[in-house]
């Protein structure tokens, strides 16, 4: 095959859901959580994997880490079939679950790390280097002796990320790594992930609901909904696919009726201020020139499309299709 | 080949995790001493109940106090060992429910070892020491007991096989929690309940119950059958004599069944992720 570190070919996961349909009768229903997904992630790439709740993100991650066995399709991570060789794969991947810690709840961070060192048989020199690097960059020095249960969410997350990297994994999976974190913690985590990716060339796959994560970290984004891949490509192109729009906010000298211009439509009027919407693909310059020629303009600004809106539109469309 | 390597890796991992919990327990020595004593004291009350009974009667089901103490001591010690090694299995259901089992599946170690060694509780030594105190007391008060080399050998074999059988039940209960994640009470009724049952002579129970714990859930092999042999008594079911010595075989068979059940349970979890 190609040089992909992560390879999925028509991967499916079907769950049997039993539901009560009467006093004794039970209805069996099949739910296709992941419905034929194919993609390849080459070594060294940082990919964002996004989708609404229940879209199949976590199920995909669970199959990629060997937790869940796929119902169909072909799946390889570093050449290993995850569900068949779970423990062999475990030595080569790092996993961070935002919602739950992989650390030992009652133990100080340092003890957890020591246990990880022994469990993964990490050579002493590698362990020292990796721990020092994580402690430095993730600001963990004062936390090493603190039991995990006493850490704040942001501290715990940083502790978890360090634990996932001590054994030099080739791939790092992060399932919602910034969920519930404050702005400072988020920034710290992002900065660290960026350095891991660019400096160490680590392959990173992260799921998130915070699209700022994607904007700041990922060159490539995959959108999944109803178990299917809706989009796979660059972040910039996502705007075009999502038919996103830019907004021109204009302050006129006085109140005007909604202006009509070719290639734009007036979305809102508030006193002398008007919001004109136009396609993200076209330039604002002719629009501005046209406006200034027709009416006295005091001030104007262009608002870029918000990625949230773009994604939301995609989700809405895919729901309409189903 | 692959099997034995997995077994070794599991034991190694169990050792690593439990050693770490012991170290962490020992950092709060006073707390450790107190909880161990609490564990000891709580189990002492069990035996006090038996003593109170004997203050009213001379024998229980035809068994004297030292004989009942012998049954009590052997069962408690065997169960205490299993509880120390495998007692954490009843937390599996909660791990399945809250999803933390997934965090064990991404580590390069057998899940069974990780679950069993989790929160390794050294305080459970309290139960073992209480059980062995009673056992030693019983051994020094059993008059007219004829020791033979076979009986001497049977003592440690009985305790270890018993611990093996109880451990298998702990694992079996754990495997069942993959399917019904709130089943830890069912497991407890077989482990803790079984232990209480075995502390009394089989003659005080209905024959059907004795049959059940001989042939269905083979708890009778923990101490009843071998202990009756040591005490020189017949078993109430009138089984052939070699059955008394079958403890180790029964323990191995139980562990094999439990291992299979565990594997099945884990496989079903990994295909449903419930």
């Amino acid at each position: 095959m190609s040089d992909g570190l992560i390879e999925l070919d028509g991967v499916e996961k079907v769950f049997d859901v039993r539901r009560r349909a009467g006093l004794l009768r039970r209805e069996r229903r099949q739910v296709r959580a992941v419905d034929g997904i194919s993609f390849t992630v080459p070594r060294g790439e940082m990919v964002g994997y996004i989708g609404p709740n229940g879209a199949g993100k976590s199920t995909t991650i669970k199959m990629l880490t060997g937790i869940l066995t796929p119902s169909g399709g072909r799946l390889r991570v570093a050449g290993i079939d995850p569900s068949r060789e779970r423990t062999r794969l475990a030595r080569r991947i790092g996993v961070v679950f935002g919602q739950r810690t992989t650390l030992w709840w009652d133990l100080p961070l340092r003890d957890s790390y020591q246990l990880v060192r022994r469990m993964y048989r990490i050579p002493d020199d590698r362990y020292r280097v990796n721990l020092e690097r994580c402690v430095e960059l993730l600001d963990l020095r004062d936390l090493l002796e603190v039991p995990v249960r006493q850490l704040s969410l942001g501290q715990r997350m940083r502790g978890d990320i360090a634990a996932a990297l001590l054994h030099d994994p080739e791939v790092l999976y992060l399932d919602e790594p910034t969920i519930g974190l404050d702005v400072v913690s988020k920034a710290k985590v992002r900065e660290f992930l960026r350095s891991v990716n660019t400096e160490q060339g680590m392959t990173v796959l992260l799921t998130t609901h915070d699209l700022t994560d994607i904007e700041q970290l990922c060159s490539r984004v995959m959108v999944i909904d109803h178990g299917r891949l809706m989009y796979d490509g660059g972040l910039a192109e996502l705007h075009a696919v999502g038919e996103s729009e830019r907004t021109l906010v204009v302050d006129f000298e006085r109140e005007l009726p909604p202006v009509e211009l070719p290639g734009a439509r007036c979305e809102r009027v508030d006193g002398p201020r008007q919001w004109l919407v136009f396609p993200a693909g076209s330039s604002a310059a002719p629009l501005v020139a046209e406006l200034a020629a027709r009416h006295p303009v005091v001030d104007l600004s262009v608002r870029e499309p918000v990625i949230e809106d773009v994604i939301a539109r995609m989700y809405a469309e895919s729901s309409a299709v189903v | 080949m692959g099997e034995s390597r997995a077994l070794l890796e599991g034991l190694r991992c169990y050792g690593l995790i439990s050693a770490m919990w012991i170290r962490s327990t020992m950092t709060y020595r006073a707390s450790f001493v107190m909880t161990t004593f609490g564990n000891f004291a709580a189990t002492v009350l069990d035996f006090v109940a038996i003593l109170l009974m004997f203050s009213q009667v001379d024998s229980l089901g035809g068994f004297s106090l030292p004989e009942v103490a012998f049954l009590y001591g052997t069962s408690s010690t065997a169960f205490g060992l299993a509880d120390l090694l495998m007692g954490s299995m009843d937390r599996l259901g909660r791990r399945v429910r809250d999803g933390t089992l997934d965090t064990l599946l991404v580590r390069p170690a057998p899940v069974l070892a990780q679950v069993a060694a989790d929160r390794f509780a050294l305080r459970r030594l309290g139960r073992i020491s209480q059980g062995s105190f009673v056992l030693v007391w019983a051994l020094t008060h059993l008059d007219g007991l004829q020791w033979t080399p076979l009986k001497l050998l049977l003592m440690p074999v009985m305790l270890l096989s018993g611990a093996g059988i109880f451990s298998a039940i702990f694992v079996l209960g754990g495997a069942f929690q993959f399917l019904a994640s709130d089943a830890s009470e069912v497991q407890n009724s077989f482990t803790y309940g079984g232990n209480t049952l075995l502390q009394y002579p089989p003659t005080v129970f209905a024959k059907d119950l004795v049959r059940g714990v001989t042939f269905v859930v083979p708890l009778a092999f923990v101490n009843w059958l071998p202990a009756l042999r040591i005490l020189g008594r017949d078993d109430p079911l009138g089984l052939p004599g070699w059955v008394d010595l079958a403890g180790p075989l029964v323990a191995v068979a139980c562990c094999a069944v439990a291992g299979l059940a565990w594997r099945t349970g884990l496989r079903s979890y990994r295909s449903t992720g419930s």
Side-chain angles (χ1 to χ4, degrees):
Chain A
M1 286 276 296
S2 61
D3 56 346
L5 192 57
I6 303 173
E7 295 170 350
L8 285 82
D9 188 11
V11 170
E12 294 177 4
K13 183 70 207 177
V14 182
F15 293 116
D16 262 348
V17 181
R18 289 207 174 90
R19 208 176 44 138
R20 240 193 199 147
L23 196 57
L24 292 170
R25 215 157 51 84
R26 286 202 168 186
E27 239 176 32
R28 273 182 57 173
R29 205 163 49 91
Q30 287 200 327
V31 175
R32 307 184 79 81
V34 170
D35 194 4
I37 283 188
S38 306
F39 62 79
T40 303
V41 178
R43 205 173 278 275
E45 202 167 48
M46 172 119 73
V47 183
Y49 196 53
I50 59 178
N53 289 323
K57 296 189 301 282
S58 293
T59 306
T60 313
I61 295 273
K62 284 180 184 179
M63 287 192 284
L64 287 171
T65 48
I67 296 172
L68 284 180
T69 317
S71 321
R74 185 177 180 280
L75 204 160
R76 291 287 180 280
V77 177
I80 297 173
D81 181 347
S83 68
R84 278 180 193 280
E85 295 186 87
R86 180 183 70 76
T87 50
R88 192 156 86 88
L89 179 76
R91 294 181 190 285
R92 302 177 62 175
I93 61 171
V95 187
V96 177
F97 296 108
Q99 311 266 29
R100 48 190 88 108
T101 182
T102 58
L103 302 166
W104 285 265
W105 198 243
D106 300 280
L107 297 176
L109 270 185
R110 191 188 292 282
D111 285 8
S112 273
Y113 294 159
Q114 282 290 343
L115 191 54
V116 167
R117 175 176 74 83
R118 297 216 176 88
M119 199 181 271
Y120 286 80
R121 293 192 167 88
I122 306 170
D124 277 351
D125 50 338
R126 287 308 305 161
Y127 175 74
R128 259 195 303 275
V129 170
N130 289 342
L131 182 61
E132 183 50 38
R133 183 189 153 81
C134 288
V135 163
E136 184 67 40
L137 292 176
L138 287 168
D139 213 358
L140 292 171
R141 200 162 313 276
D142 299 331
L143 305 176
L144 284 175
E145 312 305 331
V146 182
V148 173
R149 68 183 130 81
Q150 290 175 17
L151 298 177
S152 74
L153 192 58
Q155 293 169 335
R156 203 217 77 205
M157 181 59 61
R158 275 142 52 203
D160 252 308
I161 292 175
L165 292 173
L166 293 175
H167 60 287
D168 287 317
E170 293 165 55
V171 191
L172 179 62
Y173 300 109
L174 302 138
D175 196 1
E176 305 193 14
T178 56
I179 194 164
L181 301 194
D182 61 47
V183 181
V184 179
S185 295
K186 274 186 184 175
K188 214 175 268 180
V189 164
R190 283 182 195 136
E191 191 187 343
F192 179 75
L193 292 179
R194 197 180 301 119
S195 86
V196 164
N197 176 247
T198 54
E199 286 166 35
Q200 294 177 269
M202 191 173 298
T203 311
V204 182
L205 182 70
L206 68 93
T207 77
T208 184
H209 282 293
D210 185 343
L211 293 160
T212 320
D213 290 346
I214 307 277
E215 283 178 330
Q216 297 197 354
L217 294 173
C218 305
S219 51
R220 176 178 170 196
V221 56
M222 289 187 277
V223 183
I224 181 179
D225 197 16
H226 294 97
R228 289 173 195 231
L229 211 52
M230 309 297 298
Y231 177 81
D232 180 359
L235 189 62
E237 293 88 330
L238 187 59
H239 289 296
V241 171
E243 295 171 349
S244 64
E245 294 168 323
R246 293 200 280 175
T247 310
L248 188 63
V249 185
V250 196
D251 286 339
F252 297 107
E253 259 182 14
R254 56 193 150 76
E255 288 186 28
L256 287 172
V259 292
E260 281 173 34
L261 284 174
R265 64 170 207 281
C266 182
E267 195 183 51
R268 207 177 135 200
V269 180
D270 182 10
R273 178 174 287 187
Q274 296 197 10
W275 283 260
L276 304 174
V277 174
F278 61 102
S282 62
S283 166
L287 214 57
V288 173
E290 184 73 30
L291 263 181
R294 288 196 198 175
H295 310 284
V297 173
V298 178
D299 193 11
L300 50 79
S301 63
V302 178
R303 286 198 192 151
E304 292 301 319
V306 187
I307 186 83
E308 270 91 344
D309 295 344
V310 179
I311 305 279
R313 208 168 294 134
M314 281 187 80
Y315 294 166
E317 275 167 24
S318 73
S319 306
V321 170
V322 168
Chain B
M1 180 59 186
E3 289 289 300
S4 62
R5 201 184 304 142
L7 186 65
L8 279 179
E9 190 60 31
L11 288 175
R12 174 176 174 273
C13 171
Y14 185 97
L16 288 177
I17 299 177
S18 54
M20 189 196 53
W21 281 108
I22 291 171
R23 230 176 308 130
S24 114
T25 309
M26 285 307 169
T27 51
Y28 303 100
R29 220 166 280 250
S31 151
F32 166 69
V33 170
M34 269 174 351
T35 53
T36 309
F37 180 75
N39 203 269
F40 181 89
T43 47
V44 162
L45 287 178
D46 273 1
F47 191 63
V48 168
I50 293 177
L51 287 176
L52 284 176
M53 263 183 254
F54 272 92
S55 69
Q56 302 297 317
V57 296
D58 288 333
S59 72
L60 200 60
F63 283 64
S64 68
L65 176 59
E67 285 177 317
V68 174
F70 182 71
L71 289 175
Y72 180 96
T74 48
S75 173
S76 294
T77 308
F79 177 72
L81 272 173
D83 189 37
L84 177 72
L85 295 176
M86 290 289 166
S88 298
M89 292 303 296
D90 62 359
R91 245 195 304 271
L92 183 81
R94 211 172 63 203
R95 282 189 166 282
V96 169
R97 254 173 299 156
D98 66 16
T100 51
L101 188 69
D102 291 350
T103 63
L104 307 186
L105 277 156
V106 299
R107 294 207 189 105
V111 178
L112 179 57
Q114 295 186 68
V115 175
D118 187 39
R119 302 185 185 212
F120 186 86
L122 208 56
R123 64 165 186 281
R124 290 178 176 142
L125 282 175
R127 183 190 287 278
I128 300 179
S129 45
Q130 189 264 347
S132 31
F133 280 159
V134 174
L135 182 56
V136 170
W137 181 85
L139 287 173
T140 55
H141 286 75
L142 280 168
D143 301 323
L145 185 62
Q146 300 293 314
W147 284 105
T148 63
L150 179 68
K151 286 185 180 180
L152 277 177
L153 179 68
L154 199 51
M155 278 300 294
V157 169
M158 167 171 61
L159 293 178
L160 291 179
S161 314
I165 292 171
F166 272 128
S167 296
I169 295 175
F170 272 115
V171 174
L172 212 54
F176 190 57
Q177 289 175 45
F178 280 118
L179 304 175
S181 62
D182 45 2
S184 67
E185 288 308 317
V186 179
Q187 173 186 347
N188 287 344
S189 69
F190 281 104
T191 50
Y192 290 85
N195 178 38
T196 307
L197 182 82
L198 296 178
Q199 289 167 353
Y200 293 88
T203 45
V204 307
F205 297 107
K207 272 246 166 80
D208 281 337
L209 182 65
V210 178
R211 268 192 210 105
V213 296
T214 307
F215 300 115
V216 184
V217 186
L219 288 170
F221 291 88
V222 171
N223 69 340
W224 277 354
L225 293 168
L228 293 176
R229 175 70 160 256
I230 291 175
L231 295 173
R233 284 169 170 274
D234 289 332
D235 71 83
L237 297 181
L239 298 167
W242 59 266
V243 173
D244 303 345
L245 309 176
L249 287 179
V250 172
V252 168
C254 285
C255 289
V257 169
L260 271 176
W262 174 264
R263 196 174 293 192
T264 310
L266 188 60
R267 188 178 302 139
S268 106
Y269 175 81
R270 291 177 68 192
S271 63
T272 61
S274 55

